[in-house]
Amino acid sequence: MRTTLNRLFLSHPASVDETYVQHLAFAAKFAGQLLLAATAALIHAIIPCLCEKTASRMIRDMHQRLEQR
């Protein structure tokens, strides 16, 4: 049982040198930013003159943060 819990909740965070809570916070924040980028892309799809570069800029910024980890 402990091995399964370790594999499910602790192995990956440890592999990126984080605790479970640190990884949870980073991933949740990242998910929120992706949701905002998706919203900007949807707004742009409906009204092309709005949010012309917002989603792509946000995704580039998030990618850069991931690469620096």
Side-chain angles (χ1 to χ4, degrees), residues 25-41 54-66:
F26 182 86
K29 181 179 177 184
F30 203 82
Q33 291 170 330
L34 285 170
L35 184 58
L36 290 174
T39 301
T54 305
S56 57
R57 178 184 42 79
M58 291 176 76
I59 291 168
R60 270 194 307 275
D61 291 347
M62 288 185 295
H63 178 261
Q64 185 178 24
R65 269 184 270 134
L66 277 178

Side-chain angles (χ1 to χ4, degrees), residues 2-56:
R2 190 160 178 86
T3 303
T4 302
L5 290 176
N6 184 52
R7 183 177 50 81
L8 288 174
F9 296 103
L10 302 176
S11 293
H12 175 66
S15 75
V16 291
D17 199 30
E18 292 178 338
T19 66
Y20 174 79
V21 173
Q22 289 170 325
H23 191 270
L24 174 67
F26 182 86
K29 181 179 177 184
F30 203 82
Q33 291 170 330
L34 285 170
L35 184 58
L36 290 174
T39 301
L42 181 60
I43 290 169
H44 176 69
I46 296 167
I47 307 170
C49 68
L50 298 179
C51 303
E52 291 181 33
K53 297 180 181 181
T54 305
S56 57

